[in-house]
Amino acid sequence: MGSIDKATASTPAEGVPFYTPVQSPPAGSAIALLDDNNNNKNNKPSDAAHAQTVPTLFHPLRIRGLTLVNRFVVSPMCQYSADNGHLTDWHLVHLGTLATRGAGLTIVEATSVLPNGRISPEDSGLWQDSQIAPLRRITDYIHSQGHKVGVQLAHAGRKASTLAPWHGQRGSNHTATVEEGGWPDNVWGPSAIPFSSTYPPVKEMTVEQIHETVEAFTAAAKRAVEAGFDVIEIHGAHGYLFTAFMSPLSNQRTDDYGGSFENRTRFLIETIKAVRGVIPDSMPVFVRISATEWMEWTGKATWDLEQSIKLAHLLPELGVDLLDVSSGGNAHDQKIHIHPYYQVSLAGEIRSSLKKAGKSLLVGAVGMITEAEMARDIVQDTCLYTVGEDPEKGDCKHSLGRGSSHEHEDRSQADVVIIARQFLREPEFVLRTAHRLGVQVKWPNQYARAQWADSQRV
């Protein structure tokens, strides 16, 4: 750390190997809740009415030994910019920008546990120790901003060895050749069924390779702890390896890893147990799934919402803390009726089933979350009036706008919103959402002079 004049310098952030001013409280923290907590600690009357106007979206969330300052999660987003699995300064700036502006949890993109598990030759990896250091730079920076950071451990399965999106493969050939850094002759799946004619051929995994992959997830989880991550997410969605095993369309095995629901989910469950067993008990584990592969129209046996609910009910006993509910990606001829809540509603149905059964599992909602009001309503767990609304109309802002002032039960669809593209469009989405909803939040110290005026439209 450089020499800093202690008479004039800000208090430094703790626990990081460089100087930066501490963000206390972190950006994105709701001021009313902080004031309320301070007043209570000092035995002073709190402005309870003020605190009650803060949407659940800006309330802290405790997950095992972790506390997020709000319910905004940056979804893993492939950047196709890694150097042989090693992240670069692009990732540091990309992810750091989002954490700086108030995201409570930022999750690093799909990070492969084996070289042949990358989606593209330019994907993130954690299959060797040299990949720890660049990840540590990212976790150190995000921690310096007072926020939390996770990593999504993955294996792309039969969607591996493909080209990054900007290489013009859409609608044509997706395969990354050996000359392009790919491994088209070493793509694994549950059965020898390629994703489509434009993707590489697939080799059916042996039982030994399945065990090897479980061990690779275990080793990567240990490296993730060493790299300073707060959360590990296991990627079981979007047609990648675990999804392909869970679907009877892509898994036609006749051994212990194919056929019944129990067999098709065995690989994922073995991996969850292995990862949970080698990380600290205080460290949360998330699992992302595709709640349906949108292939019901075929009349064939497919992975669907009913099976996702069945799987969700098993997860708490396995030590999973949050289910990240996405959909699709396992069949090129999937048919999706897209609307803003097409995935949120899936999360809501799973969460409702869990709550009715008394299961303790948090749920994350994803997909097309682009507006402040939508983000608010997805996680709002109490009746709420926000700035500019008239309580005398009898309407109560609740999950998806339903409910009345006399109905206070929790009808939220999820516990967190997990957002991807909107953060690319608006890195300041947390701050803009707060302004739109009339919630005063902490800004980064260095940007505080640029806060919008209360009456300013943004």
Side-chain angles (χ1 to χ4, degrees):
M1 184 182 296
S3 177
I4 300 294
D5 182 355
K6 293 183 179 179
T8 58
S10 301
T11 301
E14 295 182 355
V16 295
F18 52 84
Y19 170 77
T20 190
V22 67
Q23 303 285 346
S24 181
S29 303
I31 302 301
L33 297 180
L34 296 168
D35 291 343
D36 191 48
N37 287 337
N38 289 334
N39 285 334
N40 286 334
K41 288 177 183 177
N42 297 323
N43 295 317
K44 295 179 181 179
S46 64
D47 185 359
H50 189 197
Q52 287 174 4
T53 66
V54 176
T56 305
L57 186 61
F58 286 96
H59 283 239
L61 179 64
R62 181 80 173 176
I63 314 175
R64 283 192 184 251
L66 195 68
T67 299
L68 310 183
V69 303
N70 55 44
R71 309 299 179 94
F72 290 89
V73 177
V74 176
S75 186
M77 291 180 277
C78 291
Q79 297 295 292
Y80 306 102
S81 301
D83 180 10
N84 191 31
H86 299 76
L87 296 196
T88 66
D89 284 355
W90 170 268
H91 301 92
L92 177 66
V93 174
H94 159 63
L95 296 166
T97 294
L98 305 178
T100 296
R101 289 163 173 78
L105 173 65
T106 300
I107 304 180
V108 173
E109 66 188 73
T111 297
S112 184
V113 301
L114 288 169
N116 77 337
R118 289 171 291 168
I119 303 165
S120 83
E122 299 159 302
D123 278 13
S124 174
L126 198 44
W127 65 81
Q128 59 188 27
D129 289 348
S130 62
Q131 292 157 340
I132 295 172
L135 288 166
R136 185 80 207 199
R137 291 186 69 206
I138 292 168
T139 63
D140 280 342
Y141 179 78
I142 292 176
H143 288 154
S144 79
Q145 300 307 296
H147 288 303
K148 306 303 180 185
V149 55
V151 62
Q152 185 185 68
L153 299 183
H155 191 293
R158 62 191 191 136
K159 296 178 81 173
S161 192
T162 60
L163 296 166
W166 58 75
H167 292 316
Q169 86 280 22
R170 297 304 185 204
S172 56
N173 182 43
H174 292 75
T175 302
T177 65
V178 172
E179 292 73 23
E180 294 166 319
W183 49 98
D185 296 329
N186 192 32
V187 172
W188 293 354
S191 302
I193 304 172
F195 178 71
S196 78
S197 61
T198 63
Y199 277 69
V202 176
K203 290 183 176 180
E204 180 173 315
M205 292 176 72
T206 66
V207 172
E208 290 73 21
Q209 288 170 334
I210 291 172
H211 294 164
E212 175 189 341
T213 306
V214 173
E215 291 174 2
F217 271 91
T218 306
K222 291 178 181 178
R223 293 188 184 101
V225 173
E226 188 174 345
F229 284 103
D230 303 296
V231 171
I232 288 176
E233 176 168 274
I234 297 171
H235 197 348
H238 301 164
Y240 300 128
L241 190 58
F242 292 124
T243 321
F245 266 84
M246 291 190 288
S247 168
L249 291 178
S250 46
N251 182 351
Q252 297 181 5
R253 301 173 74 98
T254 57
D255 62 6
D256 288 345
Y257 293 93
S260 67
F261 169 87
E262 289 72 20
N263 283 357
R264 287 183 283 110
T265 58
R266 189 184 305 278
F267 187 10
L268 174 61
I269 288 173
E270 287 179 348
T271 303
I272 292 170
K273 288 179 178 179
V275 168
R276 180 77 269 172
V278 297
I279 65 174
D281 185 63
S282 59
M283 188 177 195
V285 170
F286 295 3
V287 172
R288 171 170 277 189
I289 64 167
S290 285
T292 173
E293 54 186 328
W294 300 109
M295 292 294 286
E296 294 86 349
W297 65 271
T298 64
K300 300 177 181 178
T302 69
W303 182 265
D304 55 17
L305 180 59
E306 181 180 353
Q307 292 173 87
S308 290
I309 291 173
K310 186 175 180 179
L311 175 64
H313 282 246
L314 301 176
L315 296 181
E317 287 72 24
L318 298 173
V320 175
D321 302 283
L322 183 143
L323 182 64
D324 177 351
V325 181
S326 189
S327 72
N330 194 51
H332 68 93
D333 51 349
Q334 64 187 15
K335 292 185 179 180
I336 307 174
H337 175 56
I338 294 181
H339 56 87
Y341 295 97
Y342 81 101
Q343 294 188 129
V344 173
S345 62
L346 298 171
E349 290 195 52
I350 293 173
R351 189 170 184 267
S352 176
S353 177
L354 289 164
K355 290 179 73 68
K356 287 177 182 176
K359 298 281 187 175
S360 179
L361 180 67
L362 298 172
V363 171
V366 308
M368 301 182 73
I369 302 171
T370 61
E371 301 292 338
E373 294 81 2
M374 181 179 180
R376 173 198 63 189
D377 291 348
I378 288 169
V379 300
Q380 186 59 38
D381 61 8
T382 58
C383 213
L384 178 74
Y385 297 102
T386 55
V387 173
E389 295 171 350
D390 185 359
E392 293 185 0
K393 290 181 180 178
D395 290 330
C396 173
K397 283 296 178 186
H398 222 310
S399 174
L400 307 188
R402 296 192 299 261
S404 73
S405 58
H406 301 292
E407 298 175 306
H408 298 278
E409 73 274 15
D410 178 4
R411 289 185 290 156
S412 52
Q413 304 288 292
D415 299 283
V416 297
V417 285
I418 303 175
I419 299 170
R421 295 185 190 186
Q422 194 59 25
F423 273 124
L424 300 183
R425 300 180 188 105
E426 294 184 285
E428 73 283 357
F429 184 63
V430 174
L431 304 177
R432 191 179 292 268
T433 295
H435 183 77
R436 171 83 178 182
L437 299 180
V439 180
Q440 257 199 312
V441 297
K442 171 74 160 46
W443 275 49
N445 298 333
Q446 298 91 332
Y447 294 175
R449 290 176 295 174
Q451 292 184 61
W452 298 294
D454 290 344
S455 60
Q456 187 174 352
R457 292 179 62 86
V458 297

